Amino acid sequence: MRITTVGNAGIYLEAGGHTFLIDGIYGVNEFFRDRPAEILRAARGDGDRFRNIEFLLFSHRHQDHFDAFQTERYLQNNKVKQVYIPKAGNPGMPYEDTRAIASGRYGTSIIYVEGGNSKSSFHRLGRNVNVAFFRSHHMGEPIFDITHYCPVPNIGEESFIFLGDADTTCPAEKLLALTVKNKVKGVFINPLAYADSRSKAWLRHVSPEHVFIYHIPRTERGEHGLRKLAEAIKDFGQTERERHVLSGHLQTIDLFD
């Protein structure tokens, strides 16, 4: 089982003989502007890294998590089984990429995760493999509050929870219900949510084997200070079995049972 960062909140996951890319084909805004050349090459059909990923999962449509043009380009030049994207919100929300991807053109199933009042959904990907999406609240100011889901891939007897830009006000018991009683192998949480005073109790409730601090820009933009905060987290007292700060370029971590 291998985890590789591909910038921002992008994670390439190899587990159970399957490959997943979560929030890994994204655009730019004034806060996040650095995209790995390897992903852009793969979208063009070049190189041998990050090619033909089976499942593309997106938590929401903010430009630093999703780019419709590059995603469609990736589908043109790679074999992908399924893509999961939240439905676009109302036009005019800043930072949101609402462009459509042509469905059915590339031999790929494009599933639009429903918004509205739906709190969660399950999707079977293969034998003993599924992904659940939990409707969550995007942290921060109302200007950022668009349709947001926490992806929960369940692979064999292990699960991963990707909080994306959600904080730990997400009910832990409801997220755990989506893991189908699996062991929670890892929780991916952004630095702001992790530094919140509520995160320690939330993580104890979820009890993951590993905690991954992610969604860290390669270079600081604006005044959000996420890299500085991530560096400070490295010095926090250890409260989890394993904590990893994913701040390196194409940083890779191998997990073993």
Side-chain angles (χ1 to χ4, degrees):
M1 184 177 298
R2 173 169 287 184
I3 290 163
T4 303
T5 65
V6 296
N8 290 352
I11 296 293
Y12 176 57
L13 174 62
E14 302 167 88
H18 297 282
T19 54
F20 304 79
L21 186 62
I22 299 93
D23 286 347
I25 303 178
Y26 54 87
V28 298
N29 58 30
E30 68 261 41
F31 305 110
F32 300 93
R33 303 186 66 86
D34 303 298
R35 294 188 290 184
E38 293 84 352
I39 288 288
L40 297 178
R41 282 199 293 268
R44 296 194 302 265
D46 297 332
D48 57 2
R49 294 202 72 177
F50 309 119
R51 297 293 312 280
N52 304 311
I53 298 170
E54 289 179 89
F55 305 109
L56 306 182
L57 315 178
F58 295 94
S59 63
H60 61 299
R61 285 173 169 261
H62 276 159
Q63 295 154 339
D64 56 318
H65 291 254
F66 170 73
D67 182 278
F69 173 78
Q70 292 294 345
T71 299
E72 187 160 3
R73 195 179 198 185
Y74 187 91
L75 298 181
Q76 289 173 339
N77 296 303
N78 294 272
K79 294 180 180 179
V80 178
K81 288 184 177 179
Q82 292 172 325
V83 182
Y84 291 84
I85 314 169
K87 292 189 74 173
N90 296 323
M93 286 293 286
Y95 309 116
E96 185 178 17
D97 186 338
T98 59
R99 293 171 293 179
I101 295 176
S103 60
R105 183 181 295 176
Y106 311 110
T108 300
S109 297
I110 299 177
I111 296 92
Y112 290 97
V113 182
E114 294 290 339
N117 294 323
S118 176
K119 293 298 183 184
S120 62
S121 60
F122 275 95
H123 307 270
R124 188 173 185 273
L125 306 182
R127 187 172 179 270
N128 295 325
V129 182
N130 66 70
V131 63
F133 289 86
F134 178 76
R135 179 69 185 273
S136 45
H137 176 70
H138 193 291
M139 66 189 305
E141 301 296 325
I143 194 173
F144 301 117
D145 189 15
I146 67 172
T147 301
H148 185 285
Y149 285 89
C150 296
V152 182
N154 300 306
I155 306 161
E157 297 179 352
E158 297 178 326
S159 297
F160 296 86
I161 295 173
F162 291 84
L163 290 182
D165 280 334
D167 59 22
T168 53
T169 60
C170 286
E173 63 277 5
K174 292 186 178 180
L175 271 170
L176 284 172
L178 301 183
T179 66
V180 293
K181 298 182 180 180
N182 278 358
K183 171 174 60 180
V184 179
K185 190 71 174 179
V187 166
F188 291 76
I189 182 171
N190 71 65
L192 292 172
Y194 184 81
D196 189 292
S197 60
R198 296 167 291 191
S199 70
K200 188 177 294 186
W202 191 92
L203 286 167
R204 279 200 303 268
H205 191 156
V206 175
S207 190
E209 283 194 359
H210 299 265
V211 174
F212 300 92
I213 317 299
Y214 79 138
H215 202 351
I216 303 165
R218 287 178 61 188
T219 56
E220 288 289 10
R221 305 275 179 172
E223 299 179 356
H224 50 61
L226 289 177
R227 286 199 67 85
K228 184 177 180 180
L229 177 57
E231 289 301 314
I233 286 172
K234 289 181 180 180
D235 298 326
F236 281 13
Q238 193 76 17
T239 58
E240 299 87 27
R241 176 177 165 187
E242 293 285 349
R243 185 180 63 223
H244 314 270
V245 177
L246 302 181
S247 58
H249 177 56
L250 298 183
Q251 183 176 344
T252 295
I253 295 175
D254 291 311
L255 302 181
F256 303 97
D257 291 328

